[in-house]
């Protein structure tokens, strides 16, 4: 009798425990959707490839007073481990990105032996945040900063200022050309300490190829990593790297559009560089909306200036964003590339071009007829997967 009652108590206790447990699980599921984050910050990753206008788009974010921006922080990973393949380095790149998003700059310990000055970070003066308070006192936070000037006056400031500065911003924006697969980023999209959004920036492969020809030397080591040559530098004469880049654009776009998991909803946006240079304010407003930033009057004026500036050819450094007529420059490849090269690139990048709305040029007559446009209008494509278009 006593034993029977004891068993009853145990069973009842077990049922109560189980009920509470199930209630807890249930409430967690209903209260917390997949993409619930514990942060008010916005983390934006601009994923692109070399020579696709990503320095320009990076500046559009960097110059916003609410944005802490770094260009290619994972350059350090690739340079430290250049005998590996891009695929092998994906995980180290992803982990570095995650730490930087959380303003934990100790991650650079592994890649920069002596972290003394800000100037030890790759491409630091393109970051307005590193040229203004608290990283440097030369510029105000609302100023449009000048890379040349910043390099002279801010580089000697201590490396620790990078972390201090990062912590004062609501938006952390990073630009990387070193991701070739969207799935690598899934752990960051489900990480509750991050609020990650992704802008996937693409450009007409023919324009990319032409621009890459102008910076051949600067790209040979990266090419070797993309093609997994165990540290051997390569010129991309056969467009093998272009093939990989185009393949990665297809992979990322198709993953986001057709096979996307729920946590990607509202967090992926595809942007074509040509659309930005043709109608900068419309496109920039959409990108800003995507990450809850507002365009200021000063930024508007600056954007007008940099998209209507000097003519091409004035660029001295491979990765400098200078003022020039961006819409005009975006078509320059048609005059500079031979038709044979255009054909070769079209063959290598056929799938990506079809997918992204870049039309083939069939002969030299079409190539030289500047009244013909080979970029299909943006409205024919459903590029972004924004929250308001989301289906329940
Ligand atoms: C940046 O500052 C330098 C030195 O003052 C000047 O020569 C250069 O023209 C400036 N660049 C821009 C884009 O304003
Ligand atoms: C840091 O900057 C100062 C001043 O520009 C320079 O003298 C020093 O050599 C730099 N240190 C390192 C490690 O680059
Ligand atoms: C890669 O290069 C290093 C140094 O050049 C060499 O020691 C190593 O054997 C190479 N590895 C392969 C797999 O070829
Ligand atoms: C844009 O250019 C105009 C004319 O040169 C200049 O007055 C204005 O200050 C510039 N705007 C910005 C934000 O640099
Ligand atoms: C860019 O502008 C210049 C001068 O206005 C013009 O000669 C050239 O043909 C244009 N280039 C393209 C690709 O439209």
């Amino acid at each position: 009798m006593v034993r029977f009652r004891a068993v009853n108590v145990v069973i009842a206790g077990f049922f109560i425990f189980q009920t509470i447990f199930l209630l807890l699980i249930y409430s967690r599921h209903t209260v917390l959707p997949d993409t619930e984050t514990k942060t008010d910050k916005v983390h934006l990753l601009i994923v692109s490839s070399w020579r696709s206008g990503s320095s320009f788009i990076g500046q559009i974010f960097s110059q916003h007073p609410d944005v802490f921006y770094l260009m290619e922080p994972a350059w350090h990973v690739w340079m430290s481990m250049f005998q590996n393949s891009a695929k092998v380095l994906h995980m180290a790149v992803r982990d570095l990105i995650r730490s930087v998003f959380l303003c934990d700059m100790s991650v650079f310990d592994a890649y920069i032996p002596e972290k003394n000055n800000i100037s030890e970070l790759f491409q630091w003066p393109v970051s307005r945040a590193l040229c203004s308070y608290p990283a440097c006192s030369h510029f105000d936070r609302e100023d449009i900063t000048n890379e040349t000037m910043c390099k002279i006056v801010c580089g000697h400031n201590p490396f620790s200022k990078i972390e201090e500065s990062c912590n004062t911003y609501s938006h952390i924006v990073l630009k990387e050309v070193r991701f070739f697969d969207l799935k690598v980023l899934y752990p960051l999209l489900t990480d509750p300490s991050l609020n990650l959004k992704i802008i996937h920036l693409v450009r007409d492969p023919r324009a990319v190829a032409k621009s890459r020809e102008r910076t051949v030397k600067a790209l040979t080591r990266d090419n070797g990593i993309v093609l997994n040559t165990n540290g051997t530098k390569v010129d991309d004469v056969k467009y093998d790297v272009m093939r990989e880049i185009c393949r990665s654009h297809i992979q990322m776009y198709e993953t986001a559009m057709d096979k996307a998991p729920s946590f990607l909803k509202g967090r992926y946006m595809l942007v074509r560089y040509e659309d930005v240079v043709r109608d900068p304010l419309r496109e920039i407003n959409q990108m800003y909306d995507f990450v809850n930033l507002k365009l200021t009057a000063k930024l508007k004026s600056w954007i007008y200036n940099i998209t209507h500036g000097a003519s091409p050819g004035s660029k001295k450094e491979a990765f400098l964003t200078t003022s020039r007529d961006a819409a005009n420059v975006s078509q320059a490849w048609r005059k500079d590339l031979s038709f044979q090269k255009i054909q070769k690139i079209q063959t290598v990048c056929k799938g990506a071009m079809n997918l992204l709305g870049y039309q083939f040029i069939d002969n030299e007559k079409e190539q030289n007829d500047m009244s013909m446009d080979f970029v299909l209008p943006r409205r024919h494509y459903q590029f972004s997967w924004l929250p308001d278009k989301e289906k329940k």
Side-chain angles (χ1 to χ4, degrees):
M1 195 59 184
V2 170
R3 200 153 135 213
F4 183 61
R5 197 176 288 158
V7 170
N8 253 353
V9 168
V10 168
I11 289 174
F14 177 75
F15 271 112
I16 289 166
F17 175 76
Q18 192 186 35
T19 306
I20 290 170
F21 185 66
L22 285 175
L23 275 174
L24 271 176
I25 288 183
Y26 183 71
S27 68
R28 270 189 75 80
H29 265 268
T30 50
V31 175
L32 296 174
D34 281 349
T35 50
E36 182 78 11
T37 59
K38 294 194 183 82
T39 174
D40 297 331
K41 298 207 178 196
V42 177
H43 306 98
L44 172 64
L45 181 62
I46 301 168
V47 180
S48 191
S49 67
W50 296 264
R51 318 308 301 157
S52 296
S54 63
S55 303
F56 172 74
I57 303 298
Q59 277 306 299
I60 299 295
F61 285 97
S62 181
Q63 296 290 355
H64 194 288
D66 293 341
V67 169
F68 179 89
Y69 171 75
L70 292 185
M71 168 172 166
E72 302 295 340
W75 175 89
H76 293 280
V77 176
W78 273 37
M79 286 310 109
S80 305
M81 298 189 276
F82 60 88
Q83 286 179 331
N84 293 281
S85 67
K87 199 174 175 199
V88 165
L89 295 180
H90 260 154
M91 301 308 161
V93 169
R94 180 189 71 198
D95 290 351
L96 178 126
I97 294 299
R98 180 178 182 277
S99 297
V100 174
F101 273 138
L102 296 172
C103 298
D104 173 8
M105 305 302 167
S106 70
V107 70
F108 287 108
D109 287 355
Y111 309 106
I112 307 175
E114 300 252 324
K115 292 188 318 180
N116 296 315
N117 295 1
I118 285 187
S119 64
E120 270 132 39
L121 186 69
F122 182 63
Q123 291 289 354
W124 67 275
V126 305
S127 171
R128 180 206 49 77
L130 296 183
C131 306
S132 57
Y133 184 82
C136 182
S137 53
H138 187 79
F139 291 96
D140 284 337
R141 276 171 92 116
E142 282 73 28
D143 285 348
I144 304 292
T145 60
N146 173 329
E147 194 181 324
T148 315
M149 202 59 192
C150 177
K151 207 169 190 165
I152 296 164
V153 296
C154 304
H156 63 277
N157 288 328
F159 197 91
S160 59
K161 289 279 183 187
I162 299 171
E163 189 162 312
E164 189 186 333
S165 170
C166 181
N167 279 315
T168 65
Y169 286 93
S170 59
H171 290 68
I172 319 292
V173 179
L174 306 178
K175 179 218 121 178
E176 277 301 344
V177 295
R178 297 165 212 285
F179 287 107
F180 296 80
D181 183 345
L182 207 56
K183 290 196 184 71
V184 174
L185 294 166
Y186 283 4
L188 303 192
L189 285 156
T190 53
D191 186 332
S193 57
L194 294 177
N195 178 15
L196 181 65
K197 305 222 167 171
I198 298 166
I199 285 182
H200 178 195
L201 176 69
V202 298
R203 183 181 184 186
D204 189 325
R206 295 163 295 197
V208 172
K210 180 240 153 189
S211 183
R212 287 171 60 89
E213 281 190 354
R214 291 175 58 215
T215 53
V216 171
K217 272 218 184 93
L219 297 171
T220 52
R221 175 152 281 180
D222 287 337
N223 289 344
I225 296 172
V226 174
L227 299 177
N228 194 14
T229 59
N230 187 27
T232 307
K233 297 181 176 184
V234 276
D235 282 356
D236 192 29
V237 281
K238 288 195 267 167
Y239 298 122
D240 292 327
V241 177
M242 281 303 300
R243 189 192 306 276
E244 287 307 312
I245 289 169
C246 285
R247 193 193 315 231
S248 80
H249 286 325
I250 296 173
Q251 190 279 341
M252 291 200 232
Y253 183 71
E254 284 188 343
T255 303
M257 291 297 138
D258 305 336
K259 304 160 193 157
S262 61
F263 54 75
L264 204 52
K265 286 198 175 166
R267 297 187 174 274
Y268 171 89
M269 180 181 190
L270 187 108
V271 174
R272 293 190 310 181
Y273 181 64
E274 290 76 13
D275 294 321
V276 180
V277 296
R278 286 170 189 211
D279 194 347
L281 285 181
R282 182 191 67 188
E283 295 292 316
I284 291 164
N285 267 314
Q286 285 193 4
M287 286 189 277
Y288 271 18
D289 278 350
F290 180 54
V291 293
N292 303 321
L293 284 172
K294 295 263 173 297
L295 201 53
T296 64
K298 189 184 234 170
L299 281 167
K300 249 187 216 172
S301 158
W302 172 74
I303 288 162
Y304 182 88
N305 288 1
I306 60 162
T307 49
H308 298 79
S311 56
S314 59
K315 284 184 72 175
K316 287 196 196 77
E317 286 173 55
F319 297 99
L320 200 65
T321 310
T322 48
S323 185
R324 60 222 169 102
D325 191 339
N328 181 304
V329 171
S330 81
Q331 287 295 304
W333 60 269
R334 287 174 64 177
K335 299 211 156 119
D336 297 344
L337 280 185
S338 69
F339 180 62
Q340 285 68 30
K341 279 185 182 170
I342 289 176
Q343 276 183 309
K344 178 75 180 146
I345 299 155
Q346 289 179 165
T347 307
V348 163
C349 290
K350 187 176 178 190
M353 289 180 65
N354 280 330
L355 198 63
L356 302 169
Y358 300 115
Q359 290 191 304
F360 283 25
I361 290 179
D362 290 330
N363 51 57
E364 285 180 58
K365 190 162 167 283
E366 286 184 0
Q367 181 185 350
N368 297 323
D369 181 355
M370 294 313 274
S371 69
M372 289 182 79
D373 190 1
F374 294 93
V375 180
L376 287 179
R378 184 185 186 278
R379 64 191 145 79
H380 289 247
Y381 290 83
Q382 174 93 30
F383 277 143
S384 55
W385 194 354
L386 298 171
D388 54 336
K389 290 174 190 152
E390 198 178 311
K391 280 185 234 116
K392 276 275 157 198

